[in-house]
Every structure is written in C-alpha cells, then in structure tokens.
Amino acid sequence: MEKITGAEAMMRALENEGVDILFGYPGGSIMPTYDALYDHKKTLNHILVRHEQGAVHAAQGYARVSGKVGCAIVTSGPGATNTITGIADAMIDSTPLVVIAGQVGVAMLGTDAFQEVDVVGVTSPISKWSYQIRRAEDIAWAVARAFYIAKSGRPGPVVLDFAKNAQTGMVEYEPAKADFIRSYDPDPDLNEEEIREAAKMINESVKPFVLVGQGVELGNAREELKAFLEKADMPCGTTFLGLSAIESDHRLNKGILGMHGNLGPNVMTNKCDLLIAVGMRFDDRVTGNLATYAKQAKIIHFDIDRSEFNKNVKVNLSVHGDCKKSLAAVTKLLDKATHTSWIDGFKPYEEKEYQKVIDKALHPTEGPLLMGEVIRKVSEATNNAGIMVTDVGQNQLFACRYFKFTKARSVVTSGGLGTMGFGIPAAIGATFGAPDRTVCLFVGDGGLQMTIQEFGTIMEQGAPVKMILLNNNYLGNVRQWQEMFFSHRYSFTPMLNPNYELIAKGYGIPAKTVVERSELDAAIKEMLATPGPYLLQCAIMEEDNVMPMVPPGANIDEMILEYKSK
C-alpha cells in the first residue's frame, strides 16, 4: 500500500466521515496538517476565523442548523486553550463537534515545550471523549471513533490532540469505520414495560402538560412529538433550546418555560396532574425553586441520557431511549383524548400576560425603540421562517420570547453556559450549515465586542449574516438585575461604545443605525434585501427590562409581570 503522512491521513479520514467544511486557525504545531489541507481545498472548505474561540462557536452554529458534526482545527498551546469555552458550551448544550488541536511531538511531552498544554487533561471534564493521537497508525481509528461518539446518543464535543510526530510520520492508510464501542450504548433498546406504563399514566391523566426540550430536535422527532401531543390533546411548553421543535403557532404550544418564559406554562406546571418531560434536563432556570416544583404532579421523563433521570427532579417514571422511537411507541398506545377545559385554563394567563407585558413590548407608541418590537418585526419580515441566532443577555431573552418559528433547527443560542461572544461566530457557522435560509443574529453591544474580530471572517467569506445590534449602552441583563435586586447600583455595566456603523463599514459590511420608530420597517426591509452581510444598529431604551421574570430562588409560578423602578 501507498505510504502517506499522518497529516494526509487526517485529511482522508475527515473526508471519509463526510466532512466538507472546517473552521480553523493555523499555527506551529498543526502546520503539517495545514500543509496537507492545501491539497484538499476542493473537498474540504476551510474557513479562516480570526480567533480560535470563533472556530468552535462557528462549528457549533453549523452543527445546530445542519444536524451534522461541526469540525474545528487549531494549533497547540493558546490555540487549544482558546477553544475551551466553545467545547464547554457544546458539552452542556449537546452540540456534536470534533475539535482537532495540534500538539508538540511525543518526545517533547512533559518538558514544558513551547506551546505545550495538557489538552486531554484540560478538556476531559468538558467533552464526551478526549484523546491524544501519538502515532500516525492511530489516526483512522481515532477519527472514526471521534465522529461516532460526537454524533451518537446524546451528542457532544470530542477533542483530538494531534501530536506533531503523528502528523509527520508515515503510514499505510486504510479508512476506518466505528459503529460499536464496548460499554457505550448510544441507542438503547426501549423497555416495553416503561412504554406501557407511560401510556397508562397519560391515558389516566386529566391535566397533562408536556415540557419540550432540544432533545426533540436532536432526535429529529418533531413529527413524532406533534403526533404524541395531538392524539392525547396535551398542551406543551418549550425550553429556549427547544423553541423550534414545534411551530410557534401550533394550538397546543403554550409558550416558553422558566425564568423569562410565559406566565401560563409556569403557572400550569404547578397545577397539572401529570408532567411529561421530553428531551430536557430540568435546568434550574426552568424549574425555579425545586422544593415547590410540580409537587402535585406525577412526572414522566423521556431522555436518551440515563444520567439525567432523577438528577434534579425526582420522577415517577423514566423512559430511556431515543425520543423518536419512544414517543412513537407510546403514541400507539394512547387513547384519542380531548382536554378542552384544561387547555382553556391557559387563556386567562395568556390574556393577563398580553395585557401587562406583550402588548407594551410589541406596540409602544412613544419613547425609544424596544427590543421586543424590533425582534418581532424582523421575525415577521422573514415570514417567521428565519434562523434566530443570539448572543447572551437581554438580546437573547427578548429574541427567544418574540421571534417566531415555523421550521425545525431554527434556534442557535448558548443555553446552559450562557457564553457572551457566541453570537457572531455561531451565526457565521449557521450561514454555512443552512445556506438557503436567512440567518438573523440578535446581539447586544457587550457581546458584540467580545468577538467583533470575526467581522474579518464575515468580510472574507461574504457570510450573509443579518446582524441586529440592540444597543442600550449597557451590559443590559446584568444592569436589570442590579436595578431590581441591587438597589440600582450599576457597578461597571454602563458601556462607552465605539461607532459600530463605522467599524462595520471598515470591514466592507453595509450598516445603518435606526433611532426613530418610523425608520424601522424600511431599515429591516433594506437589511433583508441587501445581498450578503448587514449590520442594523437599533438605539434601544436603556432601561428596557425583560418581563415576566421569576426572581432568583422563587417558585416557578411566582412571576413578576411588571416592575416599576423606584
């Protein structure tokens, strides 16, 4: 057989896994691999980011909207450590990634060589698998295993620490395939007793309520979820990451769960007689005070990850398995039901929240622009068919509340880790993962500056990211907490901002700033009609607060609808 370098073997192994795009940044210890990449430019499209954190977030955005494994490639030392935030973010949000990091040669390990870091030691706690490739002979096996682990079961990030001698060593390459790992069971068989018991509990329920998480999207179980809900006539609420698992206007979709969710779902969580969680992990921002959370209800938990059962909330029944299979199996055993009076019970809460919060957020008649009205207008201008990408903060919370969804895989946001700076690179990745869709990024002035260097990537690639900068001259979410819980002591949250429009134009990105409400519709139309990227800066009311809100430590049904500053 022909002998090739380990670096060339890596390229062929990636191609064997169906990889066609890499987000990365070259450097010393990964240089042999980048040299091999030079001859694969027609099959492996490499996107040069401006910071390694951006490479991982871009790979996340790509993975979220495409359903494929995102791939990032960086050098050793600081190149590798700059990926840590993205790897941790992907782990907690179950995003399938393979991150390839260069490493010094095996002979230099442990000597504190230039740009040597124990990447495996650092990333093992925040990845599904972290492995150091020390020999060229191990490349095909390691890459096949990495992609299998990243995409199977509950998805997540995998890290390959690629020693330089393994890159330069010679090997007789043979493609490898991984579809089994001893003691790793990513697709567990359904337990028929669990299925029958779940159906029985649902059939006997008078007031069922379903909590929909991102697991439905990850399991491609959108249609199975709808059949499940509709047959038993069960209302549902969604987590932030599960927002596009069901259409926003579906009659059984009652809104968002948790701290900044909707009033109805949170109140009814503590009134239902059966709570059914599907592909979600009972995050603290969803449950509020666990001591009072759904104590009146029996609880069923559907999940592919056994470690989530009874971790935060004690349940009466756990259904272990892929929700695409488990939901379908339970649906077959369900009685056709109607729960009209129970579902109608949501209406008074919906009306109350609309009157006190939503109408004011979407239809102000005077004063500065509000985040809610900007986001809803952008959503409607895309026929509610766009991909919503957010950074973290008020821009994220308002976007999740007021952007609407009609298509699957339309939400790209940092949920569990809450990573400021996530937005711009994730949106870039999303444009490559779904090139036929409109990608709308909502970002605040704080998060924008954390990864503003990726304007260079947008410029070079012509990535058609429609950036809506919601500028309130504050670190808005922290300011809101300081206003509400720290006596208006705005400790280091006001922002002295640069001229963002001028910066965007310096990168060749068309930009416009809107201050007056009368200018907004035309500006949004211009943004969406402009080919390629666009920055629309909106001057937002400085003390625009996200409501409703469950105060920290409060019960989930104790929502503040209105807050009047003292």
Side-chain angles (χ1 to χ4, degrees):
M1 291 180 63
E2 174 194 11
K3 281 200 168 186
I4 58 175
T5 66
E8 174 64 21
M10 175 62 76
M11 297 299 101
R12 297 188 188 184
L14 292 175
E15 290 171 346
N16 188 53
E17 293 297 329
V19 175
D20 56 8
I21 189 165
L22 300 166
F23 301 92
Y25 202 93
S29 290
I30 199 67
M31 207 174 296
T33 298
Y34 266 85
D35 185 64
L37 180 58
Y38 190 84
D39 295 323
H40 290 259
K41 288 187 288 187
K42 291 183 179 179
T43 53
L44 293 171
N45 182 20
H46 179 272
I47 308 302
L48 178 65
V49 296
R50 298 310 189 258
H51 189 284
E52 292 88 354
Q53 180 181 349
V56 184
H57 291 330
Q60 287 179 272
Y62 171 86
R64 291 272 194 94
V65 302
S66 70
K68 300 178 182 178
V69 178
C71 197
I73 182 167
V74 301
T75 194
S76 64
T81 58
N82 282 342
T83 69
I84 298 303
T85 298
I87 294 168
D89 193 290
M91 185 65 179
I92 199 166
D93 282 353
S94 304
T95 306
L97 298 182
V98 171
V99 177
I100 302 164
Q103 182 57 280
V104 300
V106 169
M108 301 294 289
L109 291 171
T111 67
D112 290 333
F114 178 65
Q115 293 191 332
E116 180 196 357
V117 168
D118 180 5
V119 172
V120 172
V122 170
T123 60
S124 288
I126 55 170
S127 62
K128 282 189 76 176
W129 186 50
S130 186
Y131 180 76
Q132 187 172 75
I133 303 175
R134 295 186 170 206
R135 306 184 310 156
E137 293 86 346
D138 297 332
I139 291 169
W141 170 86
V143 171
R145 188 180 175 100
F147 277 82
Y148 175 60
I149 292 172
K151 66 188 177 184
S152 59
R154 180 179 181 174
V158 170
V159 178
L160 294 177
D161 192 34
F162 198 12
K164 198 166 186 178
N165 63 284
Q167 299 174 52
T168 57
M170 305 301 291
V171 64
E172 293 180 347
Y173 171 76
E174 286 188 64
K177 181 181 179 182
D179 55 15
F180 172 78
I181 298 173
R182 189 173 61 184
S183 78
Y184 175 59
D185 185 14
D187 188 14
D189 293 333
L190 297 182
N191 182 307
E192 293 300 327
E193 186 176 340
E194 292 175 358
I195 298 298
R196 286 193 297 270
E197 181 61 21
K200 180 176 182 290
M201 291 172 69
I202 294 169
N203 287 334
E204 293 174 351
S205 172
V206 176
K207 298 185 289 184
F209 185 47
V210 181
L211 313 182
V212 178
Q214 187 192 200
V216 174
E217 292 266 60
L218 296 174
N220 297 309
R222 210 166 180 252
E223 294 308 311
E224 288 77 7
L225 173 72
K226 283 197 286 187
F228 175 73
L229 296 173
E230 290 168 359
K231 187 173 183 182
D233 198 33
M234 296 183 289
C236 72
T238 73
T239 65
F240 277 176
L241 293 180
L243 276 168
S244 63
I246 183 169
E247 296 91 338
S248 298
D249 63 355
H250 192 286
R251 70 176 185 85
L252 294 173
N253 185 354
K254 298 304 175 184
I256 308 169
L257 306 164
M259 178 175 281
H260 287 289
N262 294 111
L263 179 62
N266 284 338
V267 171
M268 297 308 237
T269 293
N270 280 358
K271 290 190 175 185
C272 66
D273 63 5
L274 180 64
L275 195 66
I276 306 160
V278 184
M280 54 87 73
R281 57 190 178 83
F282 289 109
D283 174 75
D284 61 285
R285 291 297 172 99
V286 165
T287 65
N289 181 8
L290 282 171
T292 60
Y293 182 76
K295 292 301 179 182
Q296 80 294 338
K298 293 181 179 179
I299 302 176
I300 303 174
H301 191 178
F302 289 78
D303 210 286
I304 200 167
D305 185 355
R306 188 183 293 277
S307 71
E308 290 296 340
F309 296 140
N310 298 304
K311 186 178 78 175
N312 296 325
V313 173
K314 302 301 179 185
V315 304
N316 299 88
L317 176 67
S318 56
V319 181
H320 186 213
D322 182 341
C323 65
K324 190 175 182 69
K325 297 177 182 178
S326 59
L327 288 175
V330 171
T331 302
K332 288 180 181 179
L333 303 179
L334 292 180
D335 298 333
K336 182 69 176 174
T338 56
H339 294 105
T340 304
S341 60
W342 165 239
I343 293 171
D344 285 347
F346 284 80
K347 289 181 181 178
Y349 301 107
E350 292 168 352
E351 292 168 357
K352 185 176 182 180
E353 182 181 352
Y354 185 85
Q355 177 187 358
K356 291 185 174 294
V357 180
I358 297 173
D359 187 42
K360 296 175 183 178
L362 298 183
H363 307 114
T365 56
E366 58 184 9
L369 289 169
L370 303 181
M371 289 192 191
E373 66 174 316
V374 173
I375 291 159
R376 178 59 62 84
K377 283 180 177 292
V378 172
S379 180
E380 290 174 346
T382 71
N383 295 317
N384 299 323
I387 291 173
M388 178 199 79
V389 185
T390 81
D391 205 81
V392 166
Q394 287 184 318
N395 62 89
Q396 174 189 40
L397 303 174
F398 274 113
C400 288
R401 282 185 56 84
Y402 295 117
F403 203 86
K404 296 300 177 184
F405 305 95
T406 58
K407 295 185 177 182
R409 295 190 177 276
S410 296
V411 176
V412 183
T413 192
S414 174
L417 200 64
T419 303
M420 287 183 68
F422 174 88
I424 298 175
I428 294 170
T431 65
F432 286 97
D436 57 334
R437 298 185 64 189
T438 301
V439 175
C440 300
L441 166 65
F442 298 98
V443 61
D445 42 311
L448 183 78
Q449 292 192 73
M450 287 196 171
T451 47
I452 198 170
Q453 71 276 357
E454 299 305 334
F455 276 14
T457 308
I458 292 173
M459 174 183 66
E460 183 172 345
Q461 300 298 328
V465 181
K466 307 304 182 184
M467 296 176 280
I468 301 93
L469 169 57
L470 303 167
N471 189 347
N472 57 11
N473 295 306
Y474 274 99
L475 298 175
N477 204 41
V478 182
R479 183 212 55 75
Q480 179 172 332
W481 281 56
Q482 289 173 335
E483 178 183 352
M484 296 177 69
F485 309 117
F486 292 87
S487 304
H488 295 75
R489 290 162 60 85
Y490 295 158
S491 180
F492 301 99
T493 47
M495 297 281 287
L496 178 61
N497 283 312
N499 187 327
Y500 291 113
E501 190 175 341
L502 196 61
I503 292 171
K505 290 179 178 178
Y507 282 95
I509 299 171
K512 175 172 283 189
T513 298
V514 172
V515 177
E516 299 297 331
R517 186 164 285 111
S518 59
E519 304 169 328
L520 183 58
D521 288 341
I524 292 172
K525 184 176 180 180
E526 178 182 315
M527 173 184 71
L528 295 178
T530 301
Y534 195 100
L535 175 69
L536 176 61
Q537 177 177 219
C538 297
I540 300 296
M541 177 189 288
E542 290 189 345
E543 296 191 345
D544 186 10
N545 290 331
V546 189
M547 291 290 156
M549 181 180 186
V550 178
N555 302 333
I556 197 61
D557 53 0
E558 296 178 335
M559 298 199 82
I560 300 172
L561 291 179
E562 297 176 297
Y563 175 79
K564 294 182 179 178
S565 183
K566 297 177 182 178

